[in-house]
């Protein structure tokens, strides 16, 4: 795949081997300004800010993914195929579907269940199980333990719909009982698409999320609390990126 691409105006050398992908472009900017050394803007097509700098001497990039499977899979495809990126880590928020998983806890998606039809794009004859890179997952767990972060590893549910058509409420509210009984930890909107894209490219991917909403109780973090809580997840992701270079 040739570069620059329709959505990333950069060259392969502009990116590190590992790219952190928050959904929000402003969070990408926040990570670059608060965690990376010598960070520089390498992409700003459509305002999707991408930065590259160093963290503990390791070249790391951070670029927004937007929301939903179509958006993250588009950027992941281009990063993997045109820019030579090996590892992509989604870092975002999720809603807990289990009582034991509390606000501010970190969930590491070993696998991603989904209601999306995105896998049909790959012309498979059965159902594909989208899973994380074990190497990335193991290093993320090590980083959580070193930082003393509360974390959970297991399945997440990647929803293709946010608002349902019946009453305009979040679609996941109707889905919780069914997925909860199967032990699914939390709901989000990108992991399955990222994992499928990584599998096809034969590259690595991992989704790490902070619980911002407890769907069962209705508890949620304020905007200020999200910023503070998400810093821990950002550190976990950056430490994982460093470990991947060793």
């Amino acid at each position: 795949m040739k570069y620059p691409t329709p959505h990333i105006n950069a060259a392969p050398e502009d990116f590190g081997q590992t790219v952190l992908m928050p959904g929000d472009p402003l969070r990408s900017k926040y990570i670059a300004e608060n965690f990376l050394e010598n960070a520089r803007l390498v992409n700003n097509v459509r305002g999707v800010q991408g930065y590259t700098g160093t963290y503990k001497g390791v070249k790391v990039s951070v670029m927004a993914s937007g929301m939903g499977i179509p958006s993250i899979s588009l950027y992941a495809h281009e990063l993997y195929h045109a820019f030579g990126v090996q590892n992509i880590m989604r870092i975002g928020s999720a809603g807990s579907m289990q009582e034991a998983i509390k606000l501010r806890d970190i969930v590491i998606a070993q696998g991603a269940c989904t209601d999306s039809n995105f896998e049909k794009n790959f012309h498979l004859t059965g159902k594909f199980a989208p899973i994380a890179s074990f190497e990335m997952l193991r290093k993320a767990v090590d980083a959580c333990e070193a930082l003393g972060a509360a974390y959970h590893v297991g399945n997440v549910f990647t929803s293709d719909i946010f608002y349902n058509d019946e009453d305009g409420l979040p679609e996941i509210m109707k889905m919780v009982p069914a997925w909860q009984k199967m032990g699914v930890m939390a709901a989000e909107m990108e992991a399955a698409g990222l994992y499928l894209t990584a599998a096809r490219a034969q590259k690595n991917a991992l989704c790490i999320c902070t619980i911002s909403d407890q769907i069962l109780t209705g508890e949620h973090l304020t905007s200020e609390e999200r910023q503070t809580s998400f810093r821990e997840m950002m550190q976990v992701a950056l430490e994982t990126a460093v470990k991947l270079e060793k």
Side-chain angles (χ1 to χ4, degrees), residues 86-100:
Q86 296 297 313
N87 316 302
I88 296 178
M89 253 185 289
R90 159 164 158 66
I91 52 173
S93 59
S96 172
M97 292 196 283
Q98 301 292 334
E99 291 182 9

Side-chain angles (χ1 to χ4, degrees), residues 21-42:
M21 297 200 84
D24 185 352
L26 293 179
R27 195 165 294 147
S28 176
K29 183 174 185 287
Y30 177 87
I31 294 169
E33 291 179 345
N34 290 275
F35 290 96
L36 299 183
E37 294 182 357
N38 303 313
R40 63 186 181 91
L41 184 69
V42 296

